[in-house]
Amino acid sequence: MGQFIKSISIALNNIRANPLHTFLSTLGIIIGVAAMVGILALGDGLEQTGREQIANTTSLNFISVSSKSTKTVDGIKVKIKNRAKLTATQALEIQTLFSGKALTDYTATETGEVVYQDSLVGVYIQGSMNNRIHFSGDSLVVGRFISERDIIDNSNVTVLTYTIAKRLSSNMESLIGETIQVNDKELEVIGILQLSNAESQKIYVPISEFSDATDFPTLLIKSLKAEEIPELKEKLEVWLDDTFNAEGESFIVSTNEARVEQFSQGILMFKLIMGAITGISVLVGGIGVMNVLLISVTERTKEIGIRKAAGAKKKDIILQFMAESVTISFVGSFLGWLVGIIGVFTFVPIVNALTDLGNFKAAIGTSTVLLIMIIALFVGVVFGTYPAWRAAQLTPLDAIRHE
């Protein structure tokens, strides 16, 4: 270890003795490493920003279950005649199964018209369960939401959104208990809902209105903890297989994690391709390191001969030049890392100014630092091997006589 440290000290002295020569020789490494740092940092930042965008637009703790409409036979998609369908009662069973860990909603939507006194309003009719109000943080203005008993009894009740209630009556509270006509069916108004997002022309009815008909609603499960999604998904798939005896052939169970993984794979592909391109600069830099070491061997031939005559072995000469090669590579990589960091944090504000992302930022991870260290070690060892071997092959007599 002492010999290795001494070799590094000699290498640093040689770098200080010929700074311009060493800088020009390692310029390829500096440029290559800087480019690689920039690509990895921007790639990691892009992935982080993308994950945040996906998380803001689609909840990552949702599981959706929908009935399969086709199956594949000999590579051809064939329509399933007797599709499996969850009933409202089965949806309530799943709600009980995941009690304390997730919220459940069985939902479907169709269009229709609402008639009340002299008013006629076009609406979206959404079948829902009693947990729906907790999914998006909506709040009741007056009255109550659909209950579990409403679903079991298939009660003729409805909850209006604030927009619809305001169009039907100037005194919204007076609508509670009133009967409105929805697609030729009379429903009692039990509540008025204020949506947390953009208001829409929508009313809610018990999901039994849909699941007991010919519709195929979608089951949504909202996990209280995103990390429990895989466990809940597996548990749900087992329940579906046991209930429908179809071994995964009846329903499609999906999560938004798939979107994140697809996005991450795209970013990984980007980093691999661009990393391979910038790797060419690193290889050119490695050739520069080998060149400066070969020149060093030539300039120090007499010194090598004297060392060998004084008792230095081949491994000592090899160790000296390998240490010098690795040191030069680490210095070049460190300078490249600094240039890359400065370049990245100069480039990020420009990206935010020219795009609508606003919060895009570079991310410097531990893996990036480790990769740069590995590259430096790899270049130093690979491109320092031949000069070190050539120096070790010199005989003391020829080396001392060299002019």
Side-chain angles (χ1 to χ4, degrees), residues 75 98 123 141 155 158 161 234 306:
F98 292 145
V123 295
V141 177
S155 302
T158 183
T161 56
E234 182 179 356
I306 294 173

Side-chain angles (χ1 to χ4, degrees), residues 154-175:
N154 195 13
S155 302
N156 294 327
V157 296
T158 183
V159 175
L160 310 179
T161 56
Y162 182 87
T163 302
I164 297 299
K166 193 173 181 180
R167 291 188 61 181
L168 294 179
S169 175
S170 58
N171 183 10
M172 292 184 295
E173 293 187 7
S174 65
L175 288 172

Side-chain angles (χ1 to χ4, degrees), residues 8 11-12 15 22-23 26 29-30 33 324-338 376:
I8 293 177
L12 290 173
I15 292 173
T22 303
F23 172 75
T26 57
I29 291 181
I30 294 172
V33 169
E324 188 168 333
S325 174
V326 172
T327 302
I328 292 174
S329 297
F330 267 105
V331 170
S333 297
F334 177 72
L335 291 176
W337 186 78
L338 286 179

Side-chain angles (χ1 to χ4, degrees), residues 26-43:
T26 57
L27 190 58
I29 291 181
I30 294 172
I31 294 174
V33 169
M36 193 166 291
V37 168
I39 287 170
L40 292 175
L42 292 175

Side-chain angles (χ1 to χ4, degrees), residues 121-395:
V121 181
V123 295
Y124 292 101
I125 306 168
Q126 181 164 332
S128 296
M129 293 174 63
N130 52 304
N131 274 332
R132 177 68 193 183
I133 194 172
H134 302 296
F135 268 61
S136 54
D138 299 335
S139 58
L140 282 167
V141 177
V142 65
R144 65 177 180 86
F145 196 69
I146 297 166
S147 68
E148 187 174 322
R149 177 51 56 187
D150 291 328
I151 298 170
I152 295 173
D153 295 342
N154 195 13
S155 302
N156 294 327
V157 296
T158 183
V159 175
L160 310 179
T161 56
Y162 182 87
T163 302
I164 297 299
K166 193 173 181 180
R167 291 188 61 181
L168 294 179
S169 175
S170 58
N171 183 10
M172 292 184 295
E173 293 187 7
S174 65
L175 288 172
I176 302 299
E178 290 291 310
T179 299
I180 63 175
Q181 189 172 324
V182 180
N183 289 351
D184 300 324
K185 188 172 184 177
E186 293 186 344
L187 302 178
E188 179 189 350
V189 178
I190 60 173
I192 297 174
L193 192 65
Q194 178 76 55
L195 300 184
S196 59
N197 52 12
E199 286 292 332
S200 63
Q201 296 182 198
K202 183 184 292 186
I203 67 172
Y204 293 88
V205 298
I207 188 57
S208 48
E209 285 283 331
F210 287 82
S211 64
D212 293 342
T214 58
D215 299 273
F216 293 89
T218 298
L219 179 70
L220 295 176
I221 297 175
K222 183 180 181 181
S223 174
L224 301 181
K225 296 180 180 179
E227 60 270 20
E228 292 182 352
I229 285 289
E231 176 190 342
L232 296 180
K233 182 181 178 183
E234 182 179 356
K235 191 175 182 180
L236 177 62
E237 289 172 337
V238 170
W239 186 92
L240 290 170
D241 290 344
D242 291 343
T243 303
F244 292 90
N245 299 316
E247 298 183 355
E249 295 297 323
S250 298
F251 295 90
I252 299 173
V253 181
S254 59
T255 66
N256 286 323
E257 284 293 329
R259 291 184 59 187
V260 178
E261 290 305 317
Q262 288 175 350
F263 179 78
S264 297
Q265 288 298 315
I267 295 297
L268 177 60
M269 185 66 68
F270 164 78
K271 289 193 288 188
L272 288 176
I273 293 175
M274 297 304 296
I277 294 173
T278 55
I280 296 174
S281 297
V282 177
L283 291 177
V284 172
I287 295 172
V289 171
M290 185 168 64
N291 179 55
V292 74
L293 288 175
L294 286 173
I295 294 173
S296 179
V297 170
T298 302
E299 291 176 346
R300 295 158 58 192
T301 300
K302 199 166 188 177
E303 173 195 331
I304 294 170
I306 294 173
R307 287 195 62 193
K308 296 193 77 173
K313 298 179 181 179
K314 285 186 177 181
K315 67 177 183 179
D316 297 323
I317 303 299
I318 290 175
L319 180 63
Q320 177 184 341
F321 281 89
M322 289 296 290
E324 188 168 333
S325 174
V326 172
T327 302
I328 292 174
S329 297
F330 267 105
V331 170
S333 297
F334 177 72
L335 291 176
W337 186 78
L338 286 179
V339 172
I341 294 296
I342 294 171
V344 164
F345 286 102
T346 302
F347 182 69
V348 167
I350 298 175
V351 172
N352 286 327
L354 296 178
T355 65
D356 295 330
L357 292 177
N359 62 340
F360 175 72
K361 52 186 176 293
I364 308 297
T366 306
S367 58
T368 301
V369 178
L370 291 176
L371 180 61
I372 300 307
M373 294 178 65
I374 291 172
I375 289 173
L377 184 61
F378 174 79
V379 170
V381 171
V382 171
F383 291 95
T385 299
Y386 176 69
W389 175 82
R390 184 172 174 179
Q393 293 302 112
L394 292 172
T395 62

